[in-house]
Amino acid sequence: MTNQVVTQVVHAIQDDYPDDFAWCYGCGRLNEEGYHFRTGWDEEKTVTYFKPSSKHTAIPGFVYGGAIASFVDCHGTGSAALALHRKNGFEPGSGEEPPRFVTGALNVNFLKPTPQETTLKAVGKVEEIHPKKWKVSVEVFAGDTLCATGEVIAVVMPKTFTGK
Protein backbone atom coordinates (compact mmCIF):
# COMPACT_ATOMS: atom_id res chain seq x y z
CA MET A 1 0.00 0.00 0.00
CA THR A 2 1.40 3.41 -0.97
CA ASN A 3 0.79 6.80 0.56
CA GLN A 4 -0.32 8.84 -2.42
CA VAL A 5 -0.83 12.57 -1.94
CA VAL A 6 -4.18 13.72 -3.31
CA THR A 7 -3.99 17.00 -5.25
CA GLN A 8 -7.35 17.15 -6.99
CA VAL A 9 -11.04 17.06 -6.16
CA VAL A 10 -13.03 14.37 -7.99
CA HIS A 11 -16.60 15.59 -7.31
CA ALA A 12 -16.46 19.39 -7.12
CA ILE A 13 -19.50 21.53 -6.37
CA GLN A 14 -18.49 23.88 -9.21
CA ASP A 15 -19.01 21.05 -11.73
CA ASP A 16 -22.75 21.24 -10.98
CA TYR A 17 -23.18 25.02 -11.30
CA PRO A 18 -25.39 25.87 -14.29
CA ASP A 19 -23.61 27.42 -17.26
CA ASP A 20 -25.00 30.90 -16.48
CA PHE A 21 -23.06 30.84 -13.19
CA ALA A 22 -19.88 29.07 -14.24
CA TRP A 23 -17.89 32.14 -15.32
CA CYS A 24 -16.20 33.24 -12.08
CA TYR A 25 -12.52 34.00 -12.65
CA GLY A 26 -11.69 31.93 -9.58
CA CYS A 27 -13.93 28.89 -9.82
CA GLY A 28 -15.79 29.15 -13.10
CA ARG A 29 -15.28 26.06 -15.24
CA LEU A 30 -16.26 28.04 -18.37
CA ASN A 31 -13.80 30.91 -17.85
CA GLU A 32 -10.90 29.91 -20.10
CA GLU A 33 -8.45 32.27 -18.39
CA GLY A 34 -9.57 31.63 -14.81
CA TYR A 35 -8.09 29.56 -12.01
CA HIS A 36 -10.70 26.74 -12.18
CA PHE A 37 -10.74 26.13 -8.42
CA ARG A 38 -12.69 22.96 -7.58
CA THR A 39 -14.07 22.44 -4.07
CA GLY A 40 -15.12 19.12 -2.57
CA TRP A 41 -15.46 17.22 0.66
CA ASP A 42 -12.64 15.64 2.63
CA GLU A 43 -14.72 13.94 5.31
CA GLU A 44 -16.32 16.84 7.26
CA LYS A 45 -13.97 19.53 5.96
CA THR A 46 -13.77 21.04 2.49
CA VAL A 47 -10.74 21.07 0.26
CA THR A 48 -9.51 22.86 -2.88
CA TYR A 49 -6.13 22.54 -4.60
CA PHE A 50 -4.25 25.15 -6.64
CA LYS A 51 -0.95 24.92 -8.50
CA PRO A 52 0.19 28.52 -9.03
CA SER A 53 1.98 29.27 -12.28
CA SER A 54 4.64 31.85 -13.04
CA LYS A 55 1.94 34.42 -13.83
CA HIS A 56 0.90 34.32 -10.15
CA THR A 57 4.27 35.73 -9.00
CA ALA A 58 4.68 38.43 -6.36
CA ILE A 59 8.46 38.26 -6.39
CA PRO A 60 10.40 35.42 -7.99
CA GLY A 61 9.68 32.20 -6.15
CA PHE A 62 6.62 33.42 -4.26
CA VAL A 63 2.88 33.63 -4.97
CA TYR A 64 1.09 36.96 -5.36
CA GLY A 65 -1.21 37.66 -2.41
CA GLY A 66 -4.17 38.47 -4.66
CA ALA A 67 -4.11 34.93 -6.04
CA ILE A 68 -4.15 33.56 -2.49
CA ALA A 69 -7.04 35.87 -1.57
CA SER A 70 -8.99 34.61 -4.61
CA PHE A 71 -8.19 31.05 -3.56
CA VAL A 72 -9.58 31.69 -0.06
CA ASP A 73 -12.61 33.55 -1.45
CA CYS A 74 -13.71 30.89 -3.95
CA HIS A 75 -12.93 28.09 -1.53
CA GLY A 76 -15.19 29.79 1.01
CA THR A 77 -18.17 30.29 -1.30
CA GLY A 78 -17.76 26.79 -2.75
CA SER A 79 -17.59 25.35 0.76
CA ALA A 80 -20.79 27.11 1.75
CA ALA A 81 -22.49 25.72 -1.38
CA LEU A 82 -21.29 22.23 -0.46
CA ALA A 83 -22.59 22.55 3.09
CA LEU A 84 -26.03 23.84 2.14
CA HIS A 85 -26.30 21.26 -0.67
CA ARG A 86 -25.53 18.51 1.87
CA LYS A 87 -27.97 20.02 4.39
CA ASN A 88 -30.61 19.82 1.63
CA GLY A 89 -29.81 16.09 1.25
CA PHE A 90 -27.58 16.19 -1.84
CA GLU A 91 -23.93 15.73 -2.80
CA PRO A 92 -21.94 16.94 -5.81
CA GLY A 93 -22.64 14.81 -8.86
CA SER A 94 -26.07 13.67 -7.64
CA GLY A 95 -27.87 15.62 -10.36
CA GLU A 96 -29.48 18.39 -8.31
CA GLU A 97 -28.50 22.00 -8.93
CA PRO A 98 -26.57 23.28 -5.90
CA PRO A 99 -27.18 26.61 -4.20
CA ARG A 100 -24.92 29.50 -5.22
CA PHE A 101 -23.23 31.94 -2.87
CA VAL A 102 -21.59 35.34 -3.17
CA THR A 103 -19.01 36.86 -0.86
CA GLY A 104 -20.39 39.02 1.93
CA ALA A 105 -17.02 39.48 3.65
CA LEU A 106 -13.48 38.26 3.10
CA ASN A 107 -10.57 38.36 5.52
CA VAL A 108 -7.15 36.93 4.66
CA ASN A 109 -4.11 36.71 6.94
CA PHE A 110 -0.77 36.07 5.26
CA LEU A 111 1.36 34.13 7.74
CA LYS A 112 4.37 33.04 5.69
CA PRO A 113 5.61 33.61 2.15
CA THR A 114 3.88 31.12 -0.15
CA PRO A 115 6.27 29.24 -2.45
CA GLN A 116 5.57 29.30 -6.19
CA GLU A 117 6.34 25.73 -7.22
CA THR A 118 4.07 23.93 -4.73
CA THR A 119 0.48 22.77 -5.02
CA LEU A 120 -1.49 24.71 -2.43
CA LYS A 121 -4.29 23.17 -0.41
CA ALA A 122 -7.16 25.14 1.10
CA VAL A 123 -8.97 23.40 3.94
CA GLY A 124 -12.28 24.77 5.13
CA LYS A 125 -14.50 24.40 8.15
CA VAL A 126 -18.09 25.53 7.57
CA GLU A 127 -20.49 26.96 10.13
CA GLU A 128 -24.05 28.08 9.45
CA ILE A 129 -24.70 31.43 11.12
CA HIS A 130 -28.05 32.29 9.51
CA PRO A 131 -30.27 30.52 6.97
CA LYS A 132 -28.76 32.72 4.23
CA LYS A 133 -25.25 33.28 5.66
CA TRP A 134 -22.46 30.79 6.26
CA LYS A 135 -19.03 31.36 7.81
CA VAL A 136 -16.11 29.41 6.41
CA SER A 137 -12.74 29.34 8.17
CA VAL A 138 -9.96 28.57 5.69
CA GLU A 139 -6.35 27.44 6.08
CA VAL A 140 -3.98 27.50 3.10
CA PHE A 141 -1.07 25.06 3.14
CA ALA A 142 2.00 24.69 0.95
CA GLY A 143 2.95 21.13 1.81
CA ASP A 144 2.84 20.98 5.61
CA THR A 145 3.41 24.74 6.02
CA LEU A 146 0.45 26.92 6.96
CA CYS A 147 0.92 30.02 4.78
CA ALA A 148 -2.39 31.86 5.15
CA THR A 149 -5.68 31.76 6.99
CA GLY A 150 -8.93 33.39 6.12
CA GLU A 151 -12.59 33.74 6.85
CA VAL A 152 -15.36 34.08 4.31
CA ILE A 153 -18.91 35.13 5.08
CA ALA A 154 -20.81 33.60 2.18
CA VAL A 155 -24.33 34.79 1.38
CA VAL A 156 -26.91 32.86 -0.63
CA MET A 157 -26.94 34.49 -4.06
CA PRO A 158 -29.78 37.00 -4.23
CA LYS A 159 -32.48 36.36 -6.83
CA THR A 160 -31.60 39.74 -8.39
CA PHE A 161 -28.34 38.15 -9.58
CA THR A 162 -30.12 35.39 -11.44
CA GLY A 163 -32.87 37.32 -13.19
CA LYS A 164 -35.23 34.45 -12.30
Side-chain angles (χ1 to χ4, degrees):
M1 186 172 173
T2 62
N3 278 342
Q4 185 176 359
V5 176
V6 176
T7 59
Q8 67 178 345
V9 172
V10 176
H11 296 291
I13 194 72
Q14 292 88 350
D15 296 340
D16 294 340
Y17 291 165
D19 288 355
D20 288 352
F21 301 105
W23 293 95
C24 173
Y25 188 83
C27 64
R29 62 183 156 71
L30 298 178
N31 189 324
E32 291 180 20
E33 296 181 17
Y35 295 119
H36 302 132
F37 299 139
R38 302 178 77 250
T39 308
W41 287 110
D42 183 3
E43 298 183 14
E44 294 304 310
K45 293 190 176 185
T46 58
V47 66
T48 303
Y49 299 94
F50 172 47
K51 177 74 164 112
S53 73
S54 61
K55 67 183 173 185
H56 305 119
T57 299
I59 58 174
F62 298 97
V63 180
Y64 162 61
I68 296 166
S70 292
F71 188 42
V72 170
D73 185 15
C74 284
H75 180 73
T77 57
S79 295
L82 277 169
L84 183 53
H85 203 45
R86 180 173 275 181
K87 180 179 177 183
N88 291 336
F90 308 115
E91 295 294 332
S94 61
E96 295 79 11
E97 185 176 313
R100 285 300 317 268
F101 282 79
V102 294
T103 306
L106 172 65
N107 180 30
V108 180
N109 302 298
F110 301 96
L111 306 176
K112 293 191 177 193
T114 305
Q116 190 81 42
E117 298 300 322
T118 303
T119 296
L120 306 180
K121 179 180 180 181
V123 177
K125 181 179 176 194
V126 185
E127 175 186 349
E128 183 177 9
I129 57 176
H130 178 276
K132 292 187 177 187
K133 288 185 181 180
W134 296 69
K135 178 170 70 173
V136 182
S137 301
V138 180
E139 296 178 317
V140 176
F141 294 90
D144 293 331
T145 302
L146 180 62
C147 296
T149 61
E151 182 180 273
V152 176
I153 302 299
V155 180
V156 173
M157 183 182 289
K159 292 190 185 310
T160 55
F161 278 38
T162 65
K164 295 179 182 177

